[in-house]
Amino acid sequence: MGQTQQNFIAGQWVAGIGEVENRNPSDLSDLIGTYAQASSDQLEQALDAAAVAQKEWAGYGMERKQAVLNAIGNELMARAEELGTLLSREEGKPLAEGKGEVFRAGQFFTYYAAECLRQLGENADSVRPGIEVDVRREPIGTVAIISPWNFPTATASWKIAPALAYGNAVIWKPANVTPASAVALTEIISRQDIPAGLFNLVMGAGRDVGQRLVESPRINAISFTGSVPVGKGIAAAAVQNLTKIQLEMGSKNALAVMDDADLDLAVSLALGGAFGGSGQKCTASSRLIVHAGVHDAFVEKLVKGAEAMKVDHALAEGTQIGPVVSDLQLNENLAYVDLGKSEGAELACGGVRVERATEGYYMTPGVFLNTTNGMRINREEMFAPLAAVIKVDSYDEALAIVNDTNFGLTAGIVTQNLARATHFRRNARTGVVTVNLPTAGTDYHVPFGGRGDSSYGPREQGTYAREFYTTVKTAYIAAGTPE
């Protein structure tokens, strides 16, 4: 890419006040491109255009909206190989994961395309005679979407698709680390039958563009995925304008392995859940809570499996773990390795920076043993290919440790005991629970979100998304008596 990739504002591609480089974390010599940084004036232009375009879009017929979302989704799925390669090249996840993410993003759009035709209301008789009640949902207005770098296409899509389906305008500020995927998705959306200004891509630093966006009184709702500190900052800014917020933040997910578990299955779930995407998932299982009866056998298989995982270029054949996303992330990960050792944990394998044929941010998956739930490595989200094993003596102790956290996104159990599985499903204090499945991996047609510091506001995905992207209107109608 020779020229700077631009922002998309008020229906036009425009240059910014600066630019940032985007380099391949698998190969730092590979410059993916340079990307414009928007100015505060351009953000205001986007807000102006969005307010006008939203009213026009809300007036579009249901089938017209459906056609737009279908077209976006179908193109994403058709181009999953191409766009997935681009995603893996800039974010670092293995190619299979990159392609899968883009395809799933397309499914979000086609799912919400169908939802365009399912926006049914309710009606009732009033308690007062001769009066009928009509309850319906209307668009909330202009939605600010702030998406993360770890799933640059999928997370953005599961926010953008329902926002558009329910009649809203969108101002999208993606993560600056992964701008190529943002521009690619925007190019697809920009070609659709939508009013100019309905969808705006505003790239820039969070402290500049992002802060001004969340503080704007012209934003009606903010959907954010990212860290807890940033999420709390957004909440503090949004409350000044009573702006509706939806926050998906940190996690410290646990996978509990019981003494009756299928050990090969448990190890497979732990390896994929903890180290998939280099551990850079909000659903990653970084706490492995293992019953003493199978602890040693599980650990032996886990360490052997982690050591066998191929760490290499994201696009290389057979890569299971690509690089982490940036030098900053790598240094934070290595600092957690040092922290774990200082807390008394035993690093059984991995957790070190390694070199490959190309210069990149490569790190081997690390397993900590002899850890307690009070250690910082088991209290804080590390967002790294690191997992800590906690030994327990009973199911009750395992469940107590699962729930002993400030977070509450996902939790899983591996067991062949129906009573334990049922009790766990009902008593794990998380928004998502899995049984004999990894903690990472969710469907698009059902709600997603957590408790505690993990989430705040209405759930994402499925029909539950309408709680955030719409507002309810109750109408009372007295038609009178026919003559």
Side-chain angles (χ1 to χ4, degrees):
M1 293 184 182
Q3 70 182 77
T4 299
Q5 301 298 299
Q6 299 179 323
N7 289 290
F8 187 67
I9 295 172
Q12 300 292 324
W13 292 98
V14 296
I17 56 171
E19 60 188 40
V20 294
E21 282 191 348
N22 182 22
R23 290 190 177 272
N24 183 345
S26 293
D27 180 0
L28 300 183
S29 69
D30 178 19
L31 176 64
I32 297 168
T34 56
Y35 294 81
Q37 302 287 278
S39 69
S40 57
D41 287 343
Q42 288 174 322
L43 175 58
E44 294 301 319
Q45 292 168 17
L47 289 165
D48 289 340
V52 175
Q54 188 274 323
K55 292 180 174 62
E56 183 181 347
W57 174 248
Y60 276 31
M62 291 188 295
E63 290 181 331
R64 192 174 177 185
K65 291 195 191 80
Q66 180 198 28
V68 168
L69 270 69
N70 260 332
I72 297 168
N74 287 332
E75 183 167 347
L76 282 168
M77 289 186 283
R79 296 174 62 192
E81 175 94 24
E82 169 203 349
L83 298 180
T85 301
L86 177 65
L87 191 159
S88 292
R89 188 173 157 222
E90 75 164 346
E91 196 270 349
K93 64 183 57 175
L95 179 57
E97 294 183 33
K99 291 190 293 186
E101 176 177 338
V102 172
F103 194 89
R104 175 52 60 91
Q107 290 176 312
F108 280 112
F109 278 97
T110 56
Y111 173 85
Y112 284 106
E115 284 300 298
C116 290
L117 304 181
R118 296 195 188 106
Q119 296 180 44
L120 305 178
E122 303 173 68
N123 57 67
D125 289 330
S126 170
V127 295
R128 293 166 287 172
I131 297 175
E132 293 184 337
V133 181
D134 173 271
V135 181
R136 64 180 61 223
R137 292 182 176 274
E138 296 182 348
I140 198 163
T142 299
V143 179
I145 290 173
I146 303 174
S147 60
W149 51 260
N150 62 327
F151 285 90
T153 303
T155 303
S157 294
W158 80 48
K159 298 173 184 292
I160 294 167
L164 296 178
Y166 294 117
N168 301 288
V170 170
I171 311 287
W172 179 26
K173 198 210 89 61
N176 248 7
V177 180
T178 50
S181 295
V183 169
L185 176 56
T186 300
E187 287 175 342
I188 294 173
I189 296 174
S190 71
R191 296 195 300 271
Q192 308 307 319
D193 172 26
I194 59 175
L198 181 74
F199 181 85
N200 301 269
L201 172 68
V202 183
M203 296 182 287
R207 63 182 177 276
D208 300 323
V209 171
Q211 191 63 31
R212 191 177 183 109
L213 181 62
V214 300
E215 290 175 351
S216 174
R218 293 196 286 168
I219 289 293
N220 303 108
I222 302 165
S223 182
F224 164 81
T225 297
S227 71
V228 175
V230 175
K232 289 183 176 180
I234 288 172
V239 76
Q240 304 305 312
N241 299 312
L242 300 181
T243 304
K244 194 173 185 180
I245 54 175
Q246 178 187 66
L247 309 175
E248 290 296 337
M249 300 172 287
S251 63
K252 199 64 191 173
N253 312 300
L255 180 69
V257 179
M258 294 294 96
D259 54 347
D260 65 333
D262 178 328
L263 272 193
D264 289 334
L265 172 63
V267 170
S268 175
L269 299 180
L271 290 172
F275 304 133
S278 301
Q280 298 171 149
K281 297 181 180 182
C282 60
T283 52
S285 29
S286 59
R287 289 188 299 155
L288 305 176
I289 301 170
V290 184
H291 194 288
V294 294
H295 175 273
D296 292 352
F298 174 85
V299 164
E300 182 180 356
K301 288 175 176 285
L302 178 71
V303 171
K304 185 177 180 180
E307 290 176 332
M309 295 185 82
K310 182 180 179 181
V311 179
D312 207 341
H313 194 296
L315 305 183
E317 185 73 26
T319 293
Q320 294 171 285
I321 299 179
V324 300
V325 74
S326 67
D327 183 58
L328 175 63
Q329 188 66 47
L330 178 60
N331 288 328
E332 289 181 358
N333 295 352
L334 296 175
Y336 269 114
V337 172
D338 291 338
L339 173 63
K341 292 177 180 178
S342 72
E343 290 184 302
E346 173 194 345
L347 185 64
C349 68
V352 297
R353 182 172 189 170
V354 291
E355 295 183 355
R356 291 296 181 258
T358 52
E359 183 185 0
Y361 305 122
Y362 298 105
M363 176 181 178
T364 53
V367 175
F368 285 112
L369 303 179
N370 302 320
T371 77
T372 67
N373 202 49
M375 293 178 176
R376 283 178 56 192
I377 57 171
N378 282 321
R379 307 303 298 180
E380 301 173 9
E381 183 176 45
M382 296 185 288
F383 231 56
L386 297 171
V389 177
I390 304 171
K391 184 193 290 189
V392 295
D393 292 319
S394 67
Y395 165 76
D396 289 341
E397 185 184 0
L399 178 62
I401 291 177
V402 165
N403 289 333
D404 181 15
T405 175
N406 293 332
F407 300 105
L409 186 56
T410 69
I413 188 170
V414 190
T415 181
Q416 298 181 63
N417 184 297
L418 178 60
R420 280 177 175 172
T422 300
H423 187 272
F424 187 87
R425 180 168 55 85
R426 294 176 68 93
N427 290 280
R429 291 197 293 271
T430 54
V432 178
V433 175
T434 64
V435 178
N436 296 326
L437 289 166
T439 59
T442 58
D443 291 347
Y444 53 85
H445 66 302
V446 291
F448 175 79
R451 301 183 183 186
D453 284 354
S454 289
S455 302
Y456 184 83
R459 288 288 191 258
E460 298 196 275
Q461 303 184 18
T463 57
Y464 283 71
R466 68 183 181 181
E467 297 297 330
F468 178 71
Y469 292 102
T470 65
T471 186
V472 175
K473 177 181 284 182
T474 305
Y476 296 86
I477 306 102
T481 305
E483 296 182 0

